Amino acid sequence: MAESMQEELSALAAIFCGPHEWEVLSRSETDGAVVRVHTEAEGLKGVHVPLELVFHLPASYPLCLPGISVHSEHLTRAQCEAVRGKLLERAAQLVSEPMVHELVLWIQQHLGRILAGLETKAGSPQRAFPTSTAADDGLWMILLHLDHMRARAKYIKTVETWASDLRLTGRLMFLGVPASSENLQSRCGLKWKEMQREND
């Protein structure tokens, strides 16, 4: 890991020294570092919005842009993505110098303006932010395959609890159910009996 990055991490740890304000999630020579900052910024109508900012600092940082993700229980997914886009735009102006602290200060000062801009664009047919298909856009798809389900309502409740705890959004889909579970069990039972007869 570059000496400049280590110096920046040490400085950030001293700046964000409040409880749960700063955390190094990972650090390696090849992959760089991933850090999380919990802060507050003034949103619409002067309301303070808690923000969780995660920065992935590649090994070549600060000569390249950091990966950034934005989370807040007080913002929609679209708002978080718009804030992330604005942070990346700002980061592009700061390439080649340590920028995490500067980006945190910038979003604290500009969050309200970004959200107000989204509200004014909400009535227009144009999108409030561009859609990105890049690999680092922060969007993930997870497929959970369940073999069988004895109590469907209980499984649904468990998955919804996990999604809520992890602050995920998505859909539950039930695909490939050939018929009722009773028919499926009886067909499996018949097949099992056939196999037993063949082996006798």
Side-chain angles (χ1 to χ4, degrees):
M1 186 182 305
E3 187 177 335
S4 61
M5 189 191 298
Q6 289 179 341
E7 288 175 3
E8 184 179 4
L9 294 180
S10 298
L12 291 167
I15 294 167
F16 301 109
C17 56
H20 310 295
E21 217 177 8
W22 165 259
E23 185 179 2
V24 177
L25 300 177
S26 69
R27 188 187 307 208
S28 84
E29 292 293 328
T30 54
D31 297 330
V34 179
V35 299
R36 178 166 46 208
V37 177
H38 288 276
T39 188
E40 279 191 352
E42 190 173 315
L44 296 172
K45 300 176 183 174
V47 175
H48 287 277
V49 178
L51 292 174
E52 178 185 295
L53 307 172
V54 178
F55 297 91
H56 176 219
L57 311 176
S60 56
Y61 170 86
L63 299 176
C64 67
L65 290 177
I68 302 172
S69 65
V70 179
H71 305 281
S72 175
E73 293 180 1
H74 295 65
L75 300 178
T76 65
R77 185 174 178 177
Q79 287 172 326
C80 286
E81 188 62 21
V83 170
R84 177 184 170 276
K86 293 294 185 183
L87 278 169
L88 285 172
E89 286 177 19
R90 178 64 181 151
Q93 300 168 1
L94 302 170
V95 170
S96 81
E97 58 185 83
M99 65 181 82
V100 173
H101 185 239
E102 174 65 30
L103 292 174
V104 174
L105 291 177
W106 187 85
I107 201 58
Q108 286 173 340
Q109 296 165 3
H110 293 86
L111 179 65
R113 259 182 260 161
I114 295 168
L115 298 179
L118 288 176
E119 279 198 347
T120 57
K121 290 180 183 178
S124 70
Q126 296 180 347
R127 296 180 65 93
F129 55 94
T131 301
S132 169
T133 55
D136 68 342
D137 67 357
L139 300 176
W140 291 77
M141 181 182 292
I142 297 173
L143 177 64
L144 178 63
H145 175 90
L146 299 175
D147 253 5
H148 63 283
M149 210 181 284
R150 292 185 187 271
R152 182 170 164 160
K154 188 174 181 181
Y155 276 98
I156 291 172
K157 187 173 181 184
T158 301
V159 170
E160 286 175 343
T161 302
W162 290 347
S164 174
D165 291 346
L166 296 170
R167 287 183 280 177
L168 301 174
T169 57
R171 297 173 191 262
L172 284 174
M173 295 184 293
F174 298 92
L175 304 173
V177 179
S180 71
S181 59
E182 290 83 8
N183 288 342
L184 185 60
Q185 287 172 359
S186 64
R187 278 187 281 160
C188 288
L190 289 172
K191 185 66 178 169
W192 176 249
K193 286 177 184 173
E194 281 178 28
M195 290 171 63
Q196 281 182 321
R197 278 197 297 268
E198 289 172 5
N199 290 332
D200 285 345

